[in-house]
Amino acid sequence: MANNERRVGTVSRGIRCGIIREGDDLAKIVSDAVVEAAEIEGFELRDRDVISITESIVARAQGNYATVDAIAKDVKAKLGGDTIGIIFPILSRNRFAICLRGMAKAVKKVVLMLSYPSDEVGNQLITMDMVDEAGLNPYTDVLTLEKYRELFGYVKHEFTGVDYVEYYSDLIKECGAEVEIIFANNCKAILDYTDKVINCDIHTRARTKRILKAAGAKVVCGLDDIMTSSVDGSGYNEKYGLLGSNKSTEDKIKLFPKECRDLVLDIQKRVLDRTGKHVEVMVYGDGAFKDPQGKIWELADPVVSPAFTDGLVGTPNELKLKYLADNDFKDLSGEELKKAISDSIKAKDGSSLVGNMASQGTTPRQLTDLIGSLCDLTSGSGDKGTPIVLVQGYFDNYTN
C-alpha cells in the first residue's frame, strides 16, 4: 500500500451542541457545531460527508408537542366517547403510555387488544416457547385476561421489569375508563367487542385498516390519523399523527417532526457557503436493527428518516470484495489482486448491480436506513449529548 493512501474508511462522530429549545435557529446551530468541531478537533470536512440530526431536536425546535387533553379531544371527535377498541399497541412507557392516557380519557370503555407473544417491534409479553407449551395457535386463538393469567401468570419484561398488561390496565382505569383486555393476532377479533377501533400498529397499519374496514368496522383510525391537525393550538403531524411520538412529561408528548426538508437543504447550503464542501444532510429517528438478546426490533418510528438531501436517495451499489477474491481472482495475490479488484470497482460505472453474483451479501437497504441506523447507535438514546452525527467516508470504496 502506497504511503499516500488513506488508511481509514467510514468514520462516525457524535457532535455536541447545546440543549435545543423551541424557536431555536437549528440550521445555524447545526452548521456552526459541525464546522467548529472540525476546526477544534483537527479534521477536514469533505464532499459527500453526511450530517445527521436526531429527530428529537428538530421537533423540539419546532415546538411540536401535544398534551393528553388534546389527544383526548381529537379521539372523542373522531371515534365518539363510548367504547373503543385499541389494538396492537407497542409495549412502551416512552412511546405509547401517554398516547394511551389521552385515548382512555376520551371514552367510557377501552377494549385493549394486545398481540402475543410480542408486540410489533419485538418486546415480549411471553416467549414463543411458552405459547407452544400452552398448546396455543397464536394465529387463531383469542385469550381473555383470565385465560392469559391462568396460563402465564404475571410476567415482567426482561429489561424494564414491567408487567405491561397490568401497567396499561391500571393506566386506563386511572383515566376514568373501564377496561377489558384480550390477546389476539387477528385484527378482526376486536369486532366482537366494538366497531370503533384505533389500530396502533406502525409498519402494518395500512393492511390492518383495510382488513377492519372490509370486515364492517364503523370507524377505524390509525395512530397516523390522530393529531393530524392542531387541537386548541397544540402541535400536530399532518402525515404521521401520533406515530413516532415520545414522552416529554407525564401529560405531554413530543410528536415526530413536521415537514423538515427545508431544514436539511438550509444546512447543506450553509456548509457549502462556509467551507466549499457539498455535504449531504438528513434527519434520523430510530435505526432499523434487531437486538439478538431482547428480540427488540428498534424501529418504532414510522420511518428512519423523515427528511434528507437528494444525494441520499437510493441503495448502495457495492461489490463484495471477498466474493471477488475467492472466485473471480482466486489465483491472484498481493498487488496483482489489489489491482484486479480496484479495476472491477472502477468498472461499476454507476449501473445497477442487482442480480450480479459479485454483489450478493451486500446489504440491500435504503441509504437513509443504513446511515440512520449507524447514527442512532452513535448518538445513543441517553446522555451522550451528541444529537448531531457526522459520518465521513461512507461513500468511499477500496479505490479511494
Side-chain angles (χ1 to χ4, degrees), residues 94-107:
N94 172 42
R95 288 290 193 165
F96 190 71
I98 310 296
C99 298
L100 181 59
R101 189 168 279 146
M103 295 169 195
K105 277 190 85 166
V107 298

Side-chain angles (χ1 to χ4, degrees), residues 355-389:
N356 183 329
M357 285 299 282
S359 71
Q360 68 175 338
T362 59
T363 311
R365 289 168 58 186
Q366 298 293 324
L367 288 166
T368 48
D369 294 340
L370 290 161
I371 298 169
S373 299
L374 171 62
C375 293
D376 190 24
L377 289 166
T378 303
S379 61
S381 56
D383 57 8
K384 286 187 169 61
T386 56
I388 306 162
V389 177

Side-chain angles (χ1 to χ4, degrees), residues 118-138:
S118 64
D119 71 8
E120 179 186 4
V121 295
N123 283 302
Q124 291 185 327
L125 281 174
I126 48 178
T127 66
M128 196 65 196
D129 289 332
M130 291 164 77
V131 172
D132 292 341
E133 284 163 20
L136 296 173
N137 180 342

